[in-house]
Amino acid sequence: MQLEHENTDAAAIPTRNVGRVEKTLVKITELFSGIMLMGLVGLLVLSILSRDVIRFPVPWLEEIATLITIYAVAFASIGAWSRGAHISVELVPMAIKGVWHSRYALFLQILSIVFLVLAAWGAAEMMQRSANNRTTALSMSFSIYYGGLLLAFAGMVFASLLRLVGEFFDKPKQEG
C-alpha cells in the first residue's frame, strides 16, 4: 500500500515544485526591488543634502541612482510577470470558451516567450556594443545598464517557462 501512495505523490511533485519555485521567485524579486527602492530613496536624499544643504554636489550619485532604478525595475518586472500582474487585454480570452481557451493561453505563453527571448537577445547585443562606452563621473561601462534589461527579460522568460511547465503539470487529467 505504501508503494502505491508514493507513486501518486511522485506524480504531484513537479506541480508542487514549480509552484514553490514561482513563489520563491516572486518573494526574492520583490525583496530585491524593495531594497533597491529604499536604497534609491536614500541616494536621492543624500544627493539633495549634499547639493543643497552642504553645497558639495556629488555627481556620481546620479549615475548610481540610475543604475539602481534600472535594476529595481528589472526585479519588480520579473515579480509582476511571475504573478501575472502585467497589463493584459481580457476581451479575447473572455470570448473564447472550452478547450480553445487553454489552447489560446498556451499560444500566448509561447508567443510571450519568443518576444521576451528576442528582447533579451537585443539587450545582450547592446551590452556587447556598449562595453567601451563609459559614464561620465564613475567611468562605468554602459553595458552594466543594459545588464539590467537583460536580467529583466531573462527573468521573465524563466517565469514564463515555469508557467508553461505548470500548464502541463498543474492541470488535472480530463476523463473521457
Side-chain angles (χ1 to χ4, degrees):
M1 224 20 151
Q2 184 67 20
L3 185 59
E4 290 177 24
H5 187 265
E6 287 178 20
N7 285 340
T8 56
D9 284 344
I13 288 174
T15 301
R16 285 186 269 144
N17 286 341
V18 170
R20 273 191 228 134
V21 171
E22 284 180 309
K23 287 179 183 177
T24 303
L25 181 66
V26 169
K27 286 180 183 178
I28 290 171
T29 56
E30 286 179 349
L31 177 69
F32 280 4
S33 62
I35 289 170
M36 290 182 163
L37 183 61
M38 289 186 331
L40 177 64
V41 170
L43 279 175
L44 293 176
V45 167
L46 181 62
S47 178
I48 291 169
L49 289 176
S50 69
R51 183 182 63 236
D52 295 337
V53 176
I54 303 172
R55 301 274 187 223
F56 184 73
V58 183
W60 55 266
L61 285 176
E62 289 183 28
E63 290 179 10
I64 297 297
T66 302
L67 186 64
I68 288 176
T69 301
I70 290 170
Y71 280 87
V73 169
F75 282 114
S77 66
I78 294 168
W81 191 265
S82 297
R83 285 189 322 270
H86 53 284
I87 298 173
S88 63
V89 177
E90 295 293 330
L91 295 175
V92 174
M94 287 175 19
I96 299 174
K97 304 289 184 213
V99 70
W100 289 103
H101 184 76
S102 62
R103 291 178 184 165
Y104 175 76
L106 183 66
F107 171 73
L108 282 182
Q109 199 66 278
I110 292 170
L111 192 64
S112 295
I113 290 171
V114 169
F115 169 76
L116 292 169
V117 165
L118 290 174
W121 185 9
E125 286 284 323
M126 289 306 296
M127 278 182 72
Q128 291 175 349
R129 292 180 186 199
S130 66
N132 295 325
N133 297 341
R134 304 276 178 201
T135 61
T136 307
L138 290 177
S139 189
M140 291 186 313
S141 173
F142 273 106
S143 62
I144 295 173
Y145 293 117
Y146 288 111
L149 291 175
L150 179 61
L151 175 71
F153 290 126
M156 287 188 276
V157 167
F158 180 69
S160 292
L161 289 173
L162 285 175
R163 194 175 303 140
L164 192 60
V165 167
E167 283 290 321
F168 289 110
F169 293 112
D170 282 345
K171 289 185 177 179
K173 300 284 185 193
Q174 292 182 355
E175 296 180 19

